[in-house]
Amino acid sequence: MSALALSVLLSFVSAVAYAGGAIVQEQVAVSSPGAQQYAPLRRPGWWAAVALNGLGGLLHVVALAYGPLSLVQPLGALTIVFALPMAALFVGRKAGATAWRGAIMATVGLAGLLSLVGASDAQSLDTAQRVAAALGTAGAVVALMVAARAAHRHPAVRSILLATASGVAFGMSSVFTKTVAVDWTGGVSAADLPSLAVIGVLATAGMLLSQASYRGAGLAAPLATLTVVNPVVAAAVGITMFGETFRYGTTGTALALSCGVVAAGGLILLTTERLAREHQEARTAEGSVPEPAPEGAPAAADEQPAADPAERLLAALELPEDVRVPAPVPAPGGAPDDAGSVPVPLVSYAPFYGGPYVPVAVVDRHRTRVTS
């Protein structure tokens, strides 16, 4: 097997490992309580995801050793393409047509953008640049975390913000890794210990933020955001600080900007698809659980189930609790007739077909006989 074919094979396996780690992370995030959204250390699935992500990173580095950067980096964008069918196959989480279109657009745009980044001579960053990069990265990550906390009522927006912060952390970790690798070409030095510490902090922060981004937002949107932001940040730093440029001059720059627009459109599709699904789920929940009416309040007409018109009329009819009809009843024992009458309940309710209940007189069987 040639070195180029081996590099392509390792890139494919690396993308599959990253996709598997993302699926496991999303499943752990769904089944973990809110207090463990960043680091559920007691969950075996969490450590399995860490192992899969570590394997993917290791294979990616080995692929870079055997193949050119312009080929290996775009192949890393296949993570989102592999993740959607793998999620449908292993955990039954199917993605809609909009999610598929967004994922393909993000992958194609990212692959085109990375393929246009040209190589440059290896160079490192001085101490001031490293400090500025570390502080700028920390400020950006903290700002995105604060914004995500403020958007906690919108899980999709919160997820995108956390995934963006994770991508920034991973991308800058790659920048510092390249800096240390360039420094080590002249021999290992103790001056690189702060850079190694920054790499460890950024890599850990990226892992924790990616875990939190999968909570309540599905798989496609946060994974696509992380997959796009990570290399874009690294490429932007490479162009501004390492002197890298786009290929083919002005034409390559225009094509790179077009690829960036395509990738951003894919992310927007993924985000809007998730927001639409959340809105539909909220409407379904509101429709299935009606709000209880206050005590003593009559039921609204539009809340009553379909019933017979006569029953609706009876429900709206107000009838007195007791109906007494005064009737002249002779007093017992031969009392005079002018002794007056007493109200005796001689009325009951009987149905009248097609209408309300009306009072009908009832014969009293215990009337006193009148003697002449």
Side-chain angles (χ1 to χ4, degrees):
M1 181 181 294
S2 64
L4 183 61
L6 180 60
S7 175
V8 172
L9 178 60
L10 291 174
S11 298
F12 272 89
V13 179
S14 173
V16 171
Y18 276 132
I23 294 172
V24 175
Q25 280 186 276
E26 194 266 343
Q27 292 297 305
V28 172
V30 170
S31 59
S32 297
Q36 299 180 5
Q37 59 181 342
Y38 285 96
L41 300 178
R42 297 183 179 180
R43 300 290 301 276
W46 158 258
W47 295 108
V50 172
L52 287 172
N53 284 302
L55 177 62
L58 178 61
L59 293 175
H60 183 74
V61 172
V62 176
L64 286 173
Y66 285 96
L69 179 66
S70 59
L71 176 65
V72 176
Q73 283 294 105
L75 290 178
L78 294 175
T79 299
I80 181 63
V81 178
F82 290 152
L84 295 182
M86 287 173 62
L89 179 63
F90 293 109
V91 297
R93 182 179 292 277
K94 298 181 179 180
T98 304
W100 271 106
R101 286 196 296 269
I104 293 174
M105 287 178 61
T107 303
V108 171
L110 176 60
L113 178 63
L114 295 177
S115 63
L116 291 171
V117 177
S120 62
D121 296 334
Q123 55 180 318
S124 181
L125 301 177
D126 56 28
T127 303
Q129 289 177 326
R130 297 184 190 190
V131 172
L135 293 178
T137 303
V141 170
V142 171
L144 289 169
M145 291 179 64
V146 172
R149 184 177 180 83
H152 65 279
R153 295 184 179 180
H154 305 282
V157 177
R158 169 189 168 277
S159 171
I160 295 301
L161 292 172
L162 290 176
T164 303
S166 177
V168 170
F170 278 130
M172 293 305 297
S173 175
S174 300
V175 170
F176 278 91
T177 301
K178 180 177 180 179
T179 301
V180 173
V182 172
D183 292 343
W184 282 3
T185 56
V188 180
S189 174
D192 292 324
L193 290 179
S195 297
L196 293 175
V198 171
I199 293 172
V201 171
L202 291 177
T204 303
M207 185 67 182
L208 299 180
L209 290 170
S210 66
Q211 176 64 51
S213 68
Y214 291 112
R215 184 174 182 82
L219 176 68
L223 179 58
T225 303
L226 173 60
T227 305
V228 171
V229 172
N230 179 0
V232 166
V233 169
V237 174
I239 292 173
T240 56
M241 291 186 175
F242 291 102
E244 297 179 353
T245 58
F246 291 110
R247 298 177 181 178
Y248 313 117
T250 305
T251 304
T253 303
L255 290 175
L257 292 176
S258 301
C259 291
V261 172
V262 172
L267 294 181
I268 292 174
L269 277 180
L270 288 169
T271 306
T272 54
E273 188 266 346
R274 185 63 194 181
L275 289 174
R277 184 178 298 181
E278 288 179 1
H279 181 66
Q280 183 179 1
E281 292 175 355
R283 292 184 60 182
T284 303
E286 291 178 359
S288 60
V289 183
E291 297 182 358
E295 296 183 0
D302 56 352
E303 295 180 358
Q304 295 180 355
D308 187 79
E311 295 181 2
R312 294 184 179 181
L313 182 61
L314 291 176
L317 182 63
E318 296 182 359
L319 295 175
E321 296 181 357
D322 189 16
V323 178
R324 293 176 181 270
V325 177
V329 179
D337 294 341
D338 57 355
S341 60
V342 294
V344 180
L346 299 178
V347 176
S348 65
Y349 291 102
F352 182 78
Y353 294 100
Y357 287 94
V358 296
V360 178
V362 178
V363 179
D364 187 9
R365 298 180 179 178
H366 302 286
R367 295 182 56 184
T368 305
R369 297 175 63 106
V370 180
T371 56
S372 58

